[in-house]
Amino acid sequence: MRVGVHLYRFDSVEPGALRQELADATRAAEDSGVAWVSVMDHYFQMIAAGFPADDPMLEAYTTLGYLAGVTSEVQLGVLVTGVTYRHPGLLAKIHATLDVLSGGRATLGIGAAWYEEEHRAMGVPYPPLSERFERLEETLQICRQMWDPADDGPYDGTHYQLAQTLCSPQPLTRPEILIGGSGERKTLRLVAQYGDACNLFTSTPDEVAHKLDVLRGHCADVGRDPAEIRVTMLSRGERLLAGDVDGFVEEMRAYDALGVESVILTPADTSLTAWVKDAVAPAVPRLAELGS
């Protein structure tokens, strides 16, 4: 099992020190063997998670561009871009650029969006859920077309119309498409049809097993081999924060047996660099041994 880190708290240092803190944390992650670094794509910090809306929040793709320059190996992405935040043609262009400048390390993490308050505050349209899913599917189609060097023709959808899907330079490697969420009727169907990876929340092994059974059913419906889809999950890693690496490895063993390829850890209320070095790094080699 591989390990990722999800950097979504930027309140451990003053803004003037944040640039160095992010560089130190991501370099420490890479040096420890962490395979994935992601940031959160929100305009405001998440009220729903108990944070004040005015806590620091960085723009996601500016941040990833910076992280691409201070790392050389880790995969870089967002968990996850709300489909409403950027026009899909622009989103595809952003990811192609990130992939080129990172040396082929970009992942498109995307979902249907949920944070209504920040949309209203910033004047960004927030359509009903059904329409957001329609837009999500069209965005996935547009990204795949724009990253196909053999097809720069038009795209004519219900919500988006592009006269030309030219993307130059093309990404070095077509960015992995990671679809976030575990909704059984729509989200996991889109994973089966368009996704290279999915991201689930840690719950229980039984619940994750059920979600993966649903995903396999959707794969059968669309003629897709579920083994082609990388399964990731988020975890707070509470045992790691308590220094119990053995306990965390045993907790992850059941998910590894289900086929979860990566666990993506979220930070504690401390320095990002200290969290990576003290809590995350000791678990990386231990989790790599699972299944061996």
Side-chain angles (χ1 to χ4, degrees), residues 16-237:
L18 190 49
R19 176 175 178 270
Q20 190 63 51
E21 173 75 339
L22 283 171
D24 291 344
T26 53
R27 286 172 178 149
E30 189 166 72
D31 290 345
S32 71
V34 164
W36 161 275
V37 173
S38 57
V39 295
M40 188 164 65
D41 194 10
H42 283 299
Y43 308 136
F44 298 163
Q45 184 55 278
M46 295 187 297
I47 299 171
F51 297 101
D54 60 355
D55 264 13
M57 179 53 57
L58 298 176
E59 195 282 319
Y61 292 104
T62 310
T63 305
L64 289 178
Y66 173 65
L67 297 184
V70 299
T71 59
S72 59
E73 296 180 1
V74 293
Q75 196 77 5
L76 299 169
V78 164
L79 284 180
V80 295
T81 283
V83 71
T84 50
Y85 293 171
R86 294 167 190 82
H87 190 281
L90 173 61
L91 186 65
K93 180 67 176 179
I94 289 169
H95 277 82
T97 300
L98 178 62
D99 195 74
V100 168
L101 297 184
S102 68
R105 295 184 284 136
T107 286
L108 167 61
I110 192 165
W114 60 270
Y115 198 168
E116 183 173 3
E117 293 94 333
E118 66 180 359
H119 286 75
R120 301 299 183 207
M122 299 289 277
V124 176
Y126 187 72
L129 181 60
S130 59
E131 181 179 328
R132 300 202 306 274
F133 271 105
E134 292 169 2
R135 290 177 177 270
L136 176 56
E137 182 161 17
E138 289 191 14
T139 295
L140 292 167
Q141 294 168 352
I142 290 166
C143 286
R144 286 164 62 124
Q145 184 169 327
M146 286 191 65
W147 298 334
D148 180 355
D151 186 359
D152 62 2
Y155 176 88
D156 187 19
T158 300
H159 302 287
Y160 302 111
Q161 295 80 41
L162 283 70
Q164 190 175 14
T165 52
L166 176 65
C167 186
S168 181
Q170 281 282 306
L172 302 183
T173 57
R174 183 181 70 79
E176 177 185 55
I177 294 174
L178 182 152
I179 299 173
S182 55
E184 297 180 10
R185 188 167 61 89
K186 292 184 177 180
T187 303
L188 292 179
R189 179 188 66 79
L190 291 174
V191 172
Q193 192 164 358
Y194 300 103
D196 303 302
C198 63
N199 183 250
L200 307 174
F201 292 101
T202 304
S203 48
T204 66
D206 286 345
E207 186 173 349
V208 170
H210 170 71
K211 297 295 184 183
L212 295 178
D213 281 342
V214 172
L215 177 58
R216 282 189 286 269
H218 287 306
C219 286
D221 291 341
V222 301
R224 181 91 184 274
D225 181 358
E228 297 174 357
I229 299 170
R230 188 168 70 92
V231 180
T232 75
M233 71 178 197
L234 275 175
S235 173
R236 293 177 62 186

